[in-house]
Amino acid sequence: MPKLLDSFTLALLTTVALASLLPCSGQTAQIFNLATNLAIGLLFFLHGAKLSREAVAAGAGHWRLHLTVLACTFALFPLLGLLLKPVLTPLVTPELYLGVLYLCMLPSTVQSSIAFTSMAQGNVPAAICSATASNLLGIFITPLLVGWLVAGHGGAAQNMGSALDIVYQLLLPFIAGQIARRWIGGWVDKHKALLKYVDQGSILMVVYTAFSAAVISGLWQQTPAEALAGLLAVNAILLGLLLAITSLAGRKLGFSREDQITILFCGSKKSLASGVPMAKVLFAGHAIGAIVLPLMLFHQIQLMVCAMLAQRFRKRHLAEARA
Protein backbone atom coordinates (compact mmCIF):
# COMPACT_ATOMS: atom_id res chain seq x y z
CA MET A 1 0.00 0.00 0.00
CA PRO A 2 1.49 3.39 -0.95
CA LYS A 3 2.72 5.56 1.89
CA LEU A 4 1.42 9.06 2.36
CA LEU A 5 4.75 10.35 1.05
CA ASP A 6 6.46 7.61 -0.93
CA SER A 7 9.87 8.03 -2.55
CA PHE A 8 8.45 9.10 -5.91
CA THR A 9 6.23 11.74 -4.33
CA LEU A 10 9.24 13.10 -2.45
CA ALA A 11 11.17 13.12 -5.74
CA LEU A 12 8.35 15.07 -7.41
CA LEU A 13 8.29 17.64 -4.60
CA THR A 14 12.08 17.94 -4.73
CA THR A 15 11.99 18.44 -8.51
CA VAL A 16 9.37 21.17 -8.23
CA ALA A 17 11.43 22.88 -5.50
CA LEU A 18 14.60 22.63 -7.62
CA ALA A 19 12.83 24.09 -10.65
CA SER A 20 11.45 26.88 -8.47
CA LEU A 21 14.88 27.78 -7.08
CA LEU A 22 17.10 26.92 -10.07
CA PRO A 23 14.99 26.97 -13.24
CA CYS A 24 16.74 26.06 -16.47
CA SER A 25 16.63 28.54 -19.35
CA GLY A 26 18.24 29.34 -22.67
CA GLN A 27 20.59 26.72 -24.11
CA THR A 28 20.40 24.64 -20.95
CA ALA A 29 16.64 24.41 -21.33
CA GLN A 30 17.05 23.31 -24.96
CA ILE A 31 19.39 20.51 -23.90
CA PHE A 32 16.98 19.42 -21.18
CA ASN A 33 14.09 19.46 -23.65
CA LEU A 34 16.01 17.26 -26.08
CA ALA A 35 16.94 14.81 -23.33
CA THR A 36 13.33 14.81 -22.12
CA ASN A 37 12.00 13.98 -25.60
CA LEU A 38 14.42 11.05 -25.82
CA ALA A 39 13.38 9.85 -22.36
CA ILE A 40 9.70 10.01 -23.32
CA GLY A 41 10.37 7.97 -26.46
CA LEU A 42 12.22 5.36 -24.37
CA LEU A 43 9.37 5.35 -21.85
CA PHE A 44 6.73 4.46 -24.44
CA PHE A 45 9.06 1.98 -26.15
CA LEU A 46 9.38 0.10 -22.86
CA HIS A 47 5.62 0.32 -22.28
CA GLY A 48 5.19 -1.48 -25.59
CA ALA A 49 7.86 -4.05 -24.74
CA LYS A 50 6.28 -4.74 -21.33
CA LEU A 51 2.75 -5.31 -22.64
CA SER A 52 1.92 -9.02 -22.61
CA ARG A 53 -0.58 -9.97 -25.30
CA GLU A 54 -1.47 -13.13 -23.40
CA ALA A 55 -2.34 -11.29 -20.18
CA VAL A 56 -4.49 -8.79 -22.03
CA ALA A 57 -6.25 -11.52 -24.01
CA ALA A 58 -7.29 -13.20 -20.73
CA GLY A 59 -9.72 -10.38 -19.99
CA ALA A 60 -10.43 -9.09 -23.48
CA GLY A 61 -13.82 -10.78 -23.83
CA HIS A 62 -15.47 -8.89 -20.98
CA TRP A 63 -16.68 -6.12 -23.28
CA ARG A 64 -19.47 -4.75 -21.01
CA LEU A 65 -16.94 -4.07 -18.25
CA HIS A 66 -14.43 -2.50 -20.64
CA LEU A 67 -17.04 -0.22 -22.20
CA THR A 68 -18.16 0.86 -18.72
CA VAL A 69 -14.59 1.73 -17.70
CA LEU A 70 -13.89 3.59 -20.95
CA ALA A 71 -17.16 5.52 -20.66
CA CYS A 72 -16.23 6.63 -17.14
CA THR A 73 -12.70 7.58 -18.21
CA PHE A 74 -13.30 9.42 -21.47
CA ALA A 75 -16.95 10.55 -21.23
CA LEU A 76 -18.10 10.90 -17.61
CA PHE A 77 -14.88 12.46 -16.31
CA PRO A 78 -14.68 15.22 -18.98
CA LEU A 79 -18.43 15.84 -18.68
CA LEU A 80 -18.14 16.39 -14.93
CA GLY A 81 -15.15 18.69 -15.46
CA LEU A 82 -17.21 20.86 -17.80
CA LEU A 83 -20.45 20.80 -15.82
CA LEU A 84 -18.73 21.64 -12.54
CA LYS A 85 -16.64 24.45 -14.06
CA PRO A 86 -18.97 27.29 -12.91
CA VAL A 87 -18.98 25.88 -9.37
CA LEU A 88 -15.31 24.91 -9.02
CA THR A 89 -13.53 27.64 -11.00
CA PRO A 90 -13.86 30.22 -8.16
CA LEU A 91 -11.74 27.87 -5.99
CA VAL A 92 -8.74 28.04 -8.35
CA THR A 93 -7.21 30.23 -11.04
CA PRO A 94 -8.38 29.87 -14.67
CA GLU A 95 -4.98 28.40 -15.61
CA LEU A 96 -5.26 25.74 -12.91
CA TYR A 97 -8.77 24.79 -13.96
CA LEU A 98 -7.50 24.35 -17.49
CA GLY A 99 -5.17 21.75 -15.97
CA VAL A 100 -8.16 20.19 -14.18
CA LEU A 101 -10.00 19.89 -17.51
CA TYR A 102 -6.90 18.32 -19.03
CA LEU A 103 -6.60 15.67 -16.32
CA CYS A 104 -10.29 14.81 -16.84
CA MET A 105 -9.46 13.78 -20.43
CA LEU A 106 -6.54 11.49 -19.63
CA PRO A 107 -6.53 7.66 -19.69
CA SER A 108 -6.59 5.53 -16.57
CA THR A 109 -3.47 4.32 -14.81
CA VAL A 110 -2.09 0.85 -15.57
CA GLN A 111 0.15 -0.36 -12.75
CA SER A 112 -1.75 1.08 -9.79
CA SER A 113 -5.19 0.17 -11.19
CA ILE A 114 -4.09 -3.45 -11.54
CA ALA A 115 -2.31 -3.45 -8.18
CA PHE A 116 -5.31 -2.06 -6.28
CA THR A 117 -7.71 -4.42 -8.10
CA SER A 118 -5.51 -7.35 -7.11
CA MET A 119 -5.26 -6.17 -3.49
CA ALA A 120 -9.05 -5.77 -3.29
CA GLN A 121 -9.64 -9.27 -4.77
CA GLY A 122 -11.17 -7.95 -7.99
CA ASN A 123 -11.05 -9.27 -11.58
CA VAL A 124 -7.35 -8.83 -12.33
CA PRO A 125 -7.31 -10.08 -15.98
CA ALA A 126 -10.14 -7.67 -16.81
CA ALA A 127 -8.29 -4.87 -15.03
CA ILE A 128 -5.19 -5.56 -17.13
CA CYS A 129 -7.23 -5.40 -20.32
CA SER A 130 -9.24 -2.29 -19.34
CA ALA A 131 -6.26 -0.30 -18.08
CA THR A 132 -4.17 -1.23 -21.12
CA ALA A 133 -6.99 -0.41 -23.56
CA SER A 134 -7.51 2.92 -21.80
CA ASN A 135 -3.87 3.89 -22.27
CA LEU A 136 -3.72 2.75 -25.89
CA LEU A 137 -6.94 4.56 -26.81
CA GLY A 138 -5.85 7.58 -24.80
CA ILE A 139 -3.05 8.22 -27.27
CA PHE A 140 -5.80 9.06 -29.78
CA ILE A 141 -8.78 10.12 -27.66
CA THR A 142 -7.03 12.54 -25.30
CA PRO A 143 -5.64 14.78 -28.10
CA LEU A 144 -9.08 14.82 -29.74
CA LEU A 145 -10.76 15.80 -26.47
CA VAL A 146 -8.13 18.48 -25.85
CA GLY A 147 -8.74 19.95 -29.28
CA TRP A 148 -12.51 19.78 -28.93
CA LEU A 149 -12.99 20.93 -25.34
CA VAL A 150 -9.85 22.55 -23.95
CA ALA A 151 -9.16 24.77 -26.95
CA GLY A 152 -12.44 26.54 -26.30
CA HIS A 153 -11.36 27.28 -22.72
CA GLY A 154 -8.12 29.07 -23.45
CA GLY A 155 -5.94 26.03 -24.03
CA ALA A 156 -3.79 24.83 -26.87
CA ALA A 157 -5.66 24.24 -30.08
CA GLN A 158 -5.41 20.72 -31.45
CA ASN A 159 -4.16 20.53 -35.00
CA MET A 160 -2.63 18.03 -37.37
CA GLY A 161 0.85 18.99 -36.24
CA SER A 162 0.26 18.12 -32.59
CA ALA A 163 -1.55 14.92 -33.61
CA LEU A 164 1.51 13.90 -35.62
CA ASP A 165 3.73 14.77 -32.65
CA ILE A 166 1.70 12.32 -30.54
CA VAL A 167 2.21 9.66 -33.21
CA TYR A 168 5.95 10.31 -33.55
CA GLN A 169 6.83 10.75 -29.88
CA LEU A 170 4.41 8.29 -28.24
CA LEU A 171 2.73 5.85 -30.61
CA LEU A 172 5.65 4.90 -32.87
CA PRO A 173 7.97 4.11 -29.93
CA PHE A 174 5.15 2.05 -28.38
CA ILE A 175 4.67 0.07 -31.61
CA ALA A 176 8.43 -0.42 -31.88
CA GLY A 177 8.43 -1.80 -28.34
CA GLN A 178 5.63 -4.23 -29.22
CA ILE A 179 7.61 -5.43 -32.24
CA ALA A 180 10.80 -5.75 -30.20
CA ARG A 181 9.06 -7.69 -27.40
CA ARG A 182 9.74 -11.02 -29.11
CA TRP A 183 13.47 -10.37 -28.67
CA ILE A 184 13.67 -8.31 -25.48
CA GLY A 185 10.43 -9.26 -23.73
CA GLY A 186 12.12 -11.76 -21.44
CA TRP A 187 14.77 -9.27 -20.37
CA VAL A 188 12.13 -6.57 -19.81
CA ASP A 189 9.98 -8.89 -17.68
CA LYS A 190 12.99 -9.80 -15.52
CA HIS A 191 13.98 -6.17 -14.94
CA LYS A 192 10.62 -4.53 -14.22
CA ALA A 193 11.90 -3.15 -10.92
CA LEU A 194 14.78 -1.47 -12.76
CA LEU A 195 12.64 -0.20 -15.60
CA LYS A 196 10.33 1.68 -13.25
CA TYR A 197 13.14 4.21 -12.88
CA VAL A 198 12.84 4.98 -16.59
CA ASP A 199 9.13 5.72 -16.04
CA GLN A 200 9.77 7.87 -13.03
CA GLY A 201 12.90 9.52 -14.42
CA SER A 202 11.18 10.65 -17.61
CA ILE A 203 8.30 12.11 -15.59
CA LEU A 204 10.72 13.98 -13.32
CA MET A 205 12.53 15.41 -16.36
CA VAL A 206 9.28 16.67 -17.86
CA VAL A 207 8.21 18.12 -14.51
CA TYR A 208 11.55 19.92 -14.13
CA THR A 209 11.48 21.47 -17.60
CA ALA A 210 7.76 22.29 -17.33
CA PHE A 211 8.08 23.98 -13.97
CA SER A 212 11.27 25.78 -14.97
CA ALA A 213 9.40 27.43 -17.83
CA ALA A 214 6.41 28.09 -15.58
CA VAL A 215 8.54 29.66 -12.83
CA ILE A 216 10.28 31.92 -15.32
CA SER A 217 6.87 33.03 -16.60
CA GLY A 218 5.71 33.75 -13.03
CA LEU A 219 3.70 30.67 -12.01
CA TRP A 220 4.07 31.09 -8.25
CA GLN A 221 3.45 34.83 -8.35
CA GLN A 222 0.21 34.13 -10.24
CA THR A 223 -0.86 31.20 -8.03
CA PRO A 224 -1.83 32.29 -4.52
CA ALA A 225 -1.83 29.85 -1.59
CA GLU A 226 -5.63 29.85 -1.47
CA ALA A 227 -5.72 28.68 -5.10
CA LEU A 228 -3.52 25.69 -4.22
CA ALA A 229 -5.82 24.84 -1.31
CA GLY A 230 -8.77 25.21 -3.67
CA LEU A 231 -7.08 22.87 -6.15
CA LEU A 232 -6.81 20.18 -3.49
CA ALA A 233 -10.53 20.59 -2.82
CA VAL A 234 -11.38 20.43 -6.55
CA ASN A 235 -9.36 17.23 -6.99
CA ALA A 236 -10.94 15.66 -3.92
CA ILE A 237 -14.43 16.52 -5.17
CA LEU A 238 -13.78 15.04 -8.63
CA LEU A 239 -12.26 11.85 -7.23
CA GLY A 240 -15.07 11.44 -4.69
CA LEU A 241 -17.73 11.84 -7.36
CA LEU A 242 -16.08 9.34 -9.70
CA LEU A 243 -15.60 6.76 -6.92
CA ALA A 244 -19.26 7.10 -5.96
CA ILE A 245 -20.53 6.93 -9.54
CA THR A 246 -18.34 3.96 -10.57
CA SER A 247 -19.34 2.09 -7.44
CA LEU A 248 -23.03 2.74 -8.09
CA ALA A 249 -22.73 1.90 -11.80
CA GLY A 250 -21.09 -1.45 -11.07
CA ARG A 251 -23.99 -2.45 -8.81
CA LYS A 252 -26.83 -1.07 -10.96
CA LEU A 253 -25.48 -2.68 -14.14
CA GLY A 254 -25.48 -6.11 -12.49
CA PHE A 255 -21.75 -6.82 -12.42
CA SER A 256 -20.27 -9.33 -10.00
CA ARG A 257 -18.45 -8.01 -6.94
CA GLU A 258 -15.08 -8.77 -8.55
CA ASP A 259 -16.07 -6.80 -11.64
CA GLN A 260 -17.45 -3.95 -9.51
CA ILE A 261 -14.04 -3.63 -7.86
CA THR A 262 -12.35 -3.52 -11.27
CA ILE A 263 -14.71 -0.80 -12.52
CA LEU A 264 -14.16 1.21 -9.33
CA PHE A 265 -10.37 1.25 -9.55
CA CYS A 266 -9.94 1.42 -13.34
CA GLY A 267 -12.72 3.93 -14.01
CA SER A 268 -11.87 6.54 -11.38
CA LYS A 269 -8.13 7.07 -11.88
CA LYS A 270 -5.93 9.17 -14.14
CA SER A 271 -2.45 8.43 -15.45
CA LEU A 272 0.44 10.68 -14.44
CA ALA A 273 2.80 8.57 -16.58
CA SER A 274 0.79 9.29 -19.75
CA GLY A 275 -0.50 12.75 -18.82
CA VAL A 276 2.80 14.54 -18.22
CA PRO A 277 4.46 13.49 -21.52
CA MET A 278 1.25 14.19 -23.45
CA ALA A 279 1.01 17.67 -21.94
CA LYS A 280 4.49 18.46 -23.19
CA VAL A 281 3.39 17.55 -26.73
CA LEU A 282 -0.17 18.92 -26.73
CA PHE A 283 0.72 22.22 -25.07
CA ALA A 284 4.03 22.79 -26.84
CA GLY A 285 5.00 26.43 -26.72
CA HIS A 286 2.97 27.04 -23.58
CA ALA A 287 4.11 27.14 -19.94
CA ILE A 288 2.63 23.81 -18.84
CA GLY A 289 3.48 23.99 -15.14
CA ALA A 290 -0.07 25.03 -14.28
CA ILE A 291 -1.39 22.32 -16.64
CA VAL A 292 0.38 19.42 -14.91
CA LEU A 293 0.11 20.69 -11.32
CA PRO A 294 -3.53 19.52 -10.90
CA LEU A 295 -2.57 16.11 -12.29
CA MET A 296 0.36 15.76 -9.89
CA LEU A 297 -1.87 16.50 -6.90
CA PHE A 298 -4.68 14.26 -8.19
CA HIS A 299 -2.18 11.43 -8.64
CA GLN A 300 -1.19 11.46 -4.99
CA ILE A 301 -4.76 11.85 -3.70
CA GLN A 302 -5.99 8.92 -5.79
CA LEU A 303 -3.15 6.70 -4.56
CA MET A 304 -3.88 7.38 -0.90
CA VAL A 305 -7.67 7.07 -1.18
CA CYS A 306 -7.63 3.99 -3.42
CA ALA A 307 -5.04 2.29 -1.23
CA MET A 308 -7.34 2.66 1.77
CA LEU A 309 -10.33 1.40 -0.23
CA ALA A 310 -8.41 -1.61 -1.56
CA GLN A 311 -7.28 -2.52 1.93
CA ARG A 312 -10.88 -2.31 3.16
CA PHE A 313 -12.11 -4.59 0.35
CA ARG A 314 -9.33 -7.05 1.12
CA LYS A 315 -10.15 -7.20 4.83
CA ARG A 316 -13.84 -7.73 4.04
CA HIS A 317 -12.98 -10.55 1.61
CA LEU A 318 -10.73 -12.28 4.17
CA ALA A 319 -13.38 -11.95 6.87
CA GLU A 320 -16.02 -13.52 4.62
CA ALA A 321 -13.63 -16.33 3.66
CA ARG A 322 -13.08 -17.18 7.33
CA ALA A 323 -16.81 -17.07 8.14
Side-chain angles (χ1 to χ4, degrees):
M1 183 175 69
K3 301 177 182 178
L4 291 182
L5 284 177
D6 58 19
S7 59
F8 183 54
T9 300
L10 290 173
L12 277 173
L13 294 174
T14 302
T15 301
V16 171
L18 180 63
S20 300
L21 296 173
L22 297 172
C24 64
S25 60
Q27 188 173 4
T28 303
Q30 293 177 2
I31 295 173
F32 266 102
N33 278 319
L34 176 60
T36 301
N37 289 336
L38 293 175
I40 291 172
L42 178 61
L43 168 67
F44 277 81
F45 174 82
L46 291 175
H47 276 319
K50 285 189 294 184
L51 178 60
S52 169
R53 297 184 183 92
E54 293 78 11
V56 174
H62 208 340
W63 61 269
R64 285 184 65 242
L65 183 148
H66 304 321
L67 287 178
T68 302
V69 170
L70 291 173
C72 291
T73 303
F74 294 117
L76 179 59
F77 233 122
L79 181 62
L80 282 176
L82 289 173
L83 292 178
L84 293 175
K85 184 173 184 275
V87 179
L88 299 181
T89 300
L91 298 177
V92 296
T93 65
E95 292 77 14
L96 288 178
Y97 202 78
L98 179 62
V100 171
L101 286 176
Y102 172 65
L103 83 85
C104 288
M105 300 168 196
L106 290 171
S108 179
T109 61
V110 177
Q111 291 92 341
S112 59
S113 290
I114 296 168
F116 289 139
T117 299
S118 177
M119 182 189 300
Q121 307 297 308
N123 187 337
V124 175
I128 292 172
C129 185
S130 282
T132 302
S134 177
N135 271 254
L136 287 175
L137 292 173
I139 294 177
F140 304 98
I141 296 176
T142 296
L144 291 175
L145 289 174
V146 168
W148 182 30
L149 300 175
V150 174
H153 292 77
Q158 174 69 13
N159 51 47
M160 184 59 67
S162 56
L164 290 176
D165 285 340
I166 287 288
V167 172
Y168 295 148
Q169 294 188 34
L170 309 183
L171 183 59
L172 288 183
F174 182 90
I175 294 174
Q178 274 282 280
I179 295 173
R181 179 172 172 79
R182 61 181 299 181
W183 297 289
I184 66 172
W187 184 89
V188 169
D189 291 338
K190 290 179 182 178
H191 295 83
K192 286 182 178 178
L194 177 63
L195 294 178
K196 77 174 184 179
Y197 294 111
V198 177
D199 288 21
Q200 296 179 355
S202 62
I203 292 172
L204 293 176
M205 291 176 70
V206 174
V207 168
Y208 177 70
T209 55
F211 271 86
S212 290
V215 168
I216 292 172
S217 65
L219 172 66
W220 297 126
Q221 289 82 3
Q222 300 166 12
T223 308
E226 56 268 25
L228 291 176
L231 182 58
L232 288 172
V234 169
N235 282 339
I237 291 169
L238 282 173
L239 179 60
L241 285 173
L242 262 295
L243 287 172
I245 293 172
T246 52
S247 178
L248 180 63
R251 293 196 302 270
K252 293 297 185 181
L253 293 175
F255 287 101
S256 67
R257 185 169 69 173
E258 291 78 11
D259 290 345
Q260 291 176 32
I261 290 171
T262 302
I263 292 169
L264 177 72
F265 288 117
C266 293
S268 62
K269 301 173 75 244
K270 291 296 181 178
S271 175
L272 182 72
S274 296
V276 174
M278 278 190 181
K280 186 177 185 302
V281 177
L282 293 173
F283 296 90
H286 297 255
I288 66 169
I291 300 294
V292 300
L293 182 58
L295 176 59
M296 291 169 58
L297 293 178
F298 189 88
H299 172 78
Q300 188 58 30
I301 294 172
Q302 73 183 4
L303 286 183
M304 291 187 292
V305 172
C306 290
M308 290 187 289
L309 286 174
Q311 190 68 11
R312 182 179 299 178
F313 278 118
R314 181 179 180 85
K315 288 180 179 178
R316 184 185 303 172
H317 175 82
L318 294 176
E320 291 176 353
R322 289 193 296 265

